[in-house]
Amino acid sequence: MTMESPLMWLATGLGLGLAPLASGTFGSLLGLPLAWWLLGRVRRVQLAVAAALLVAAMPLCHQAANLLGHKDDGRIVLDEIVAYPLAVLGQTAARHPAVLAGAFVVYRSFDIAKPWPVARAEAIPGGVGIVLDDSVAAAMAWLVVAGGLGLGWRRRAAGRG
């Protein structure tokens, strides 16, 4: 299997995962337009599409990892791409570029630092673990973004009253 195969093309985020430095961050960039697009849909569609993408990514990431010889090879970024939208799911204010970018930074920070729940999820074998650690990082980022948006809303409301 070569890097030009459809599987590897998808798994490496159209080649962004081949970046010599910060491949996960470069690969995750494809998650930005995906998240922005999803946020323009009703929540039910957001959830359905996000879930379908996560489930579809599991066997693809598993196969790519087997071919590359590493459980979560740094060149595999499909997991980052499909997990990032979870960081903003259902938060319509996140369609604003500053919020989307802030959520991206928080998500990447959790994914890189791998605090306990993220590291624990990564220990799960196969494609499930490859995708689940990024999903947990995105869920943690979602909490931070939701909290930040909530605080911002309260401050604006208090300033008006």
Side-chain angles (χ1 to χ4, degrees):
M1 182 80 44
T2 65
M3 292 307 274
E4 291 82 33
S5 74
L7 168 66
M8 295 310 290
W9 193 241
L10 281 173
T12 62
L14 308 177
L16 289 175
L18 303 176
L21 294 170
S23 59
T25 300
F26 280 107
S28 297
L29 291 172
L30 290 177
L32 286 165
L34 174 60
W36 185 85
W37 178 82
L38 280 173
L39 286 168
R41 309 294 168 262
V42 296
R43 285 192 179 130
R44 187 174 8 154
V45 172
Q46 290 179 40
L47 289 170
V49 171
L53 289 172
L54 291 167
V55 169
M58 290 177 187
L60 294 172
C61 290
H62 182 81
Q63 282 185 291
N66 285 342
L67 291 169
L68 293 170
H70 299 92
K71 181 191 183 256
D72 196 357
D73 190 289
R75 295 172 285 186
I76 300 170
V77 295
L78 179 61
D79 49 332
E80 278 96 354
I81 295 165
V82 299
Y84 168 70
L86 297 179
V88 294
L89 213 59
Q91 301 184 60
T92 54
R95 261 192 133 204
H96 188 281
V99 178
L100 208 58
F104 183 81
V105 170
V106 173
Y107 164 65
R108 289 303 301 146
S109 297
F110 282 129
D111 189 31
I112 292 165
K114 302 235 184 281
W116 173 78
V118 178
R120 180 86 168 157
E122 186 178 44
I124 295 171
V128 173
I130 293 171
V131 174
L132 190 58
D133 77 307
D134 297 288
S135 300
V136 171
M140 293 173 67
W142 188 94
L143 291 171
V144 172
V145 172
L149 290 172
L151 286 174
W153 180 82
R154 281 187 172 184
R155 281 190 170 171
R156 281 190 300 274
R160 291 183 194 152

